Amino acid sequence: MRGNRLKEIWASGRPVLNGWLGVPSSHSAEVMSHIGFDSLTVDLQHGAIDYAGTLPMLTAISTTPVVPLARPTSLDPPQIMKLLDAGAYGVVCPMIDTPEDARRLVEACRYPPIGQRSFGPTRAAMSQGPNYTTDDANKEIVVFGQVETPLSLSNLDAILATDGLDGVYVGPSDLTLSMGLGANGDSTDPRFIDTLRHVVERSRATGRHVGMHCANGPQARRMVEMGFDFVTVGSDTGLMTEAGRGRLTLVRDAEPGNNKGSGY
């Protein structure tokens, strides 16, 4: 079975730079695969994507060295198993609030005797190499649980102690919303910043990876400097919006009929 390149990146001491996919298109997934991200996460929770749309996107990503990941709609074991069978090399699962949630997540992602994942790697047995085994899959699949509520933070140490969990991933907008700060994932409120530092410190102390869904490149850079080793730098919709608005602003600032421009 082909190894998970994310583990090689972490072993080298470098953070994983992740991209996010919410558009149900194999072509846009392929384009994003050629930008330079280490991994791409297909988002079934908030993206406009279902399983039928996910399958060709995972196929498109796998034509490159980029590692395909997926976010299920919820802690739904059948859906999680189906995404892994489709070739996802890991899962970022939303709303992991308790150690019981974390345990159920791990069980859905790991084959026995570690977990309860049913055997049927429909596409994974091809895309992840000719010698696919359950033992190798248990070693290579990465499992992240999202911590994004006060309840999850109060249970953080117990969640991090879950065997088979690779790390936690901060959902900042839900977290700030639950803290009474609005849905502001790039908040500079000291309470939010202190919470992020706490998540990093506890994750590192327990040997777990720690991820963050970032609103933009500058925030992603700050989070890497804070100690996060898995950061989402941008999404397909976000990059289109940012680039489109930037170009429109540039053209709208032009003075109509001004012959002082360079022309051609």
Side-chain angles (χ1 to χ4, degrees):
M1 181 176 174
R2 180 160 47 89
N4 190 330
R5 200 167 66 89
L6 300 191
K7 297 196 173 187
E8 298 173 10
I9 293 170
W10 284 319
S12 73
R14 189 166 68 82
V16 168
L17 306 183
N18 181 60
W20 208 256
L21 303 178
V23 177
S25 165
S26 59
H27 180 58
S28 63
E30 187 175 27
V31 171
M32 289 283 284
S33 297
H34 286 272
I35 289 178
F37 293 107
D38 297 316
S39 59
L40 287 170
T41 301
V42 181
D43 182 15
L44 282 76
Q45 184 192 20
H46 291 305
I49 306 169
D50 59 11
Y51 176 79
T54 298
L55 191 60
M57 295 174 71
L58 293 175
T59 302
I61 296 168
S62 293
T63 64
T64 73
V66 177
V67 179
L69 307 174
R71 178 165 75 170
T73 54
S74 63
L75 179 52
D76 179 357
Q79 184 188 64
I80 290 170
M81 294 181 200
K82 199 169 182 68
L83 290 170
L84 294 175
D85 289 343
Y89 252 96
V91 168
V92 180
C93 187
M95 295 292 178
I96 299 301
D97 286 333
T98 67
E100 173 63 18
D101 290 342
R103 183 187 64 79
R104 289 182 59 218
L105 171 60
V106 170
E107 286 182 347
C109 295
R110 310 288 188 201
Y111 291 114
I114 300 172
Q116 297 179 2
R117 180 183 171 187
S118 176
F119 187 79
T122 311
R123 181 175 170 274
M126 297 181 290
S127 66
Q128 295 176 1
N131 299 312
Y132 184 97
T133 69
T134 57
D135 287 344
D136 285 342
N138 281 344
K139 293 175 185 175
E140 300 301 334
I141 295 299
V142 294
V143 184
F144 276 85
Q146 285 193 233
V147 289
E148 44 196 342
T149 66
L151 179 58
S152 65
L153 293 175
S154 68
N155 288 317
L156 182 60
D157 283 348
I159 291 171
L160 290 167
T162 305
D163 288 339
L165 186 75
D166 289 288
V168 294
Y169 183 85
V170 176
S173 295
D174 278 320
L175 182 57
T176 55
L177 190 61
S178 67
M179 295 173 69
L181 302 174
N184 180 7
D186 196 13
S187 173
T188 58
D189 189 285
R191 291 173 293 169
F192 178 58
I193 301 303
D194 288 345
T195 297
L196 297 182
R197 290 198 178 100
H198 174 69
V199 175
V200 170
E201 290 170 0
R202 297 312 305 153
S203 298
R204 291 305 183 90
T206 55
R208 306 296 188 193
H209 298 290
V210 56
M212 173 81 169
H213 198 90
C214 299
N216 49 57
Q219 185 190 26
R221 183 183 179 92
R222 293 195 305 273
M223 295 304 102
V224 168
E225 292 171 347
M226 186 183 290
F228 286 89
D229 61 2
F230 177 70
V231 291
T232 293
V233 182
S235 67
D236 46 12
T237 53
L239 292 172
M240 284 191 289
T241 301
E242 181 180 346
R245 284 176 176 167
R247 293 194 181 194
L248 287 171
T249 298
L250 178 65
V251 177
R252 284 179 178 140
D253 286 344
E255 297 181 26
N258 181 357
N259 293 323
K260 296 179 182 179
S262 59
Y264 289 94

